[in-house]
Amino acid sequence: MIPYGRQSVDQADIEAVVEVLQSDWLTQGPTIERFERAMAERCQAGYAVAVCNATAALHIACLAADLGPGDWLWTTPNTFLASANCGRYCGAGVDFVDIDPLTWNLDAEVLASKLEQAERDGKLPKVLVAVAFSGQSCDMRRIAELAERYEFTVIEDASHAAGAYYAGRPVGCGEFAAMTVFSFHPVKIITSAEGGMVMTNSAELAERLQRLRSHGMTRDPQQMTGPSHGPWYYEQTELGFNYRITDLQAALGLSQLNKLEAFIERRRTLAARYDRLLAYLPLTLPSAQPEAESSWHLYVVRLQLDQITRSHRQVFEALRAAGVGVNLHYIPVHLQPYYRDLGFSEGDFPQAERYYSEAISLPLYPLLSDEQQDYVVEQLQELVELIQPWRKVGNV
């Protein structure tokens, strides 16, 4: 089976983890700070706060933005559950903004129209989670303009986008978002096995994020409410969580960071090959967001077939039966039973729903060989031809 994604771990990564295993610190040690500093430098950001996974990162980012009961968080329906659930963890209401039919990211102009109506209704969002779907940022410049006008906090969920660029700067630099979240799950651009990180340029936000990841407690005298009782003393100043990452994970992530550029280069080469090899099939291929340079976490195609609902599943299942481990990113969040119970239903976000009926994520990861990619393309071509004959209009 050729998976849709997988980690690329080499001997240097293994040795980095073993070195920590043989050290005095397995958790809450210096390797975490080294990983944070390295990511901050790579992203041109002021601060980085590492946590156990990106869901935890989204949660504490929302808390640091003071999201709570009576507030609203908006995000895209075309994302993983965590981009919306982080708002519910804080007791806030959640709503969605439909996607751009070309880039499949949150549509900034739909957002603008929805904000106008929300202002009239007195239901403006406090937080917008802008998801960099497949590794490509949204129209962050326009979103930042809207955030300034309507006074909401932008959190960029860049779980797919480590190593990506927007407007000539690294995603995570903080130019267009108050906080940016990365994921280091094994199928992401780099991995720490499990892990996440929040980037920010605000010292105040960074301090609060650090407290929230560790039970809401501090040993900093400047953050305490009273005098210290002695060298052992700490205070819990707010309700926090045990969202800490280990030094083992940080060592793996730090080692992987050394290979980030090579990983991105290979992903871009494979994406360009897909563009070329699939150009004459009845598919909608990924489109570029202006100013965005994707990290290509995913390569998603949309089928252009008759009787699309039946054919979509037929192609998906046949590819898996042929040893191609395709996936589907994502089921629209508003159609999940939990969110249906909150009042959402089919037809609420038609662009995301249509996308879902056509999309297939093809294998894409640095260790995917050209020969494996050719096999994926051949299998997809054969299946599409069986379901709907197509006319080749040029030479691949």
Side-chain angles (χ1 to χ4, degrees), residues 352-374:
E353 292 171 31
R354 182 178 177 185
Y355 164 89
Y356 171 58
S357 73
E358 300 171 352
I360 296 179
S361 300
L362 301 181
L364 182 65
Y365 50 93
L367 293 178
L368 183 72
S369 68
D370 290 0
E371 292 74 19
Q372 288 174 314
Q373 188 179 35
D374 290 341

Side-chain angles (χ1 to χ4, degrees), residues 222-236:
Q222 294 184 345
Q223 297 180 26
M224 292 181 183
T225 61
S228 172
H229 298 177
W232 65 87
Y233 192 65
Y234 59 86
E235 286 186 354
Q236 180 188 346

Side-chain angles (χ1 to χ4, degrees), residues 69-334:
D71 296 327
W72 285 92
L73 176 146
W74 290 5
T75 190
T76 172
N78 183 33
T79 186
F80 186 59
L81 306 170
S83 305
N85 288 350
C86 59
R88 299 297 295 155
Y89 298 157
C90 300
V94 170
D95 202 354
F96 302 93
V97 180
D98 211 351
I99 65 172
D100 184 312
L102 296 179
T103 65
W104 315 330
N105 264 327
L106 182 149
D107 191 319
E109 294 314 310
V110 173
L111 172 64
S113 297
K114 186 163 182 149
L115 286 165
E116 289 179 6
Q117 183 62 51
E119 185 175 44
R120 290 192 290 269
D121 296 341
K123 294 178 64 175
L124 284 168
K126 188 163 190 175
V127 168
L128 177 80
V129 175
V131 177
F133 175 71
S134 78
Q136 177 173 243
S137 288
C138 303
D139 185 352
M140 296 301 294
R141 188 181 299 277
R142 176 65 169 142
I143 288 171
E145 292 170 355
L146 293 168
E148 183 175 4
R149 175 179 173 182
Y150 291 101
E151 298 181 337
F152 58 84
T153 298
V154 177
I155 298 172
E156 184 170 19
D157 182 350
S159 294
H160 294 182
Y165 285 80
Y166 180 81
R169 296 190 64 193
V171 170
C173 70
E175 184 173 356
F176 301 103
M179 289 170 278
T180 300
V181 167
F182 291 121
S183 171
F184 307 125
H185 183 274
V187 298
K188 298 303 196 300
I189 308 301
I190 61 173
T191 186
S192 60
E194 281 280 8
M197 194 171 285
V198 188
M199 320 299 296
T200 184
N201 290 329
S202 165
E204 181 180 356
L205 286 174
E207 286 181 0
R208 190 161 185 213
L209 291 164
Q210 290 163 357
R211 287 197 306 272
L212 287 166
R213 75 172 169 188
S214 189
H215 305 282
M217 71 181 199
T218 181
R219 296 181 184 274
D220 183 350
Q222 294 184 345
Q223 297 180 26
M224 292 181 183
T225 61
S228 172
H229 298 177
W232 65 87
Y233 192 65
Y234 59 86
E235 286 186 354
Q236 180 188 346
T237 58
E238 62 183 316
L239 183 63
F241 306 86
N242 186 0
Y243 282 168
R244 295 178 297 222
I245 194 172
T246 69
D247 282 62
L248 299 175
Q249 293 166 299
L252 177 55
L254 186 59
S255 179
Q256 287 262 301
L257 186 57
N258 294 326
K259 296 179 278 288
L260 177 61
E261 304 307 327
F263 288 166
I264 296 292
E265 182 179 357
R266 179 57 180 163
R267 286 176 177 274
R268 288 177 176 160
T269 296
L270 289 167
R273 286 192 90 241
Y274 270 137
D275 285 346
R276 185 172 68 254
L277 296 172
L278 299 173
Y280 304 104
L281 289 176
L283 304 168
T284 301
L285 303 184
S287 295
Q289 169 72 47
E291 296 196 272
E293 296 179 52
S294 180
S295 59
W296 290 105
H297 166 55
L298 300 173
Y299 190 94
V300 179
V301 298
R302 293 175 65 170
L303 303 180
Q304 299 175 357
L305 302 173
D306 297 331
Q307 300 176 318
I308 188 67
T309 301
R310 179 182 62 81
S311 301
H312 180 230
R313 181 168 179 172
Q314 184 179 354
V315 170
F316 188 97
E317 292 180 342
L319 283 169
R320 283 200 168 179
V324 180
V326 290
N327 211 330
L328 204 165
H329 301 85
Y330 289 98
I331 304 169
V333 178
H334 70 284

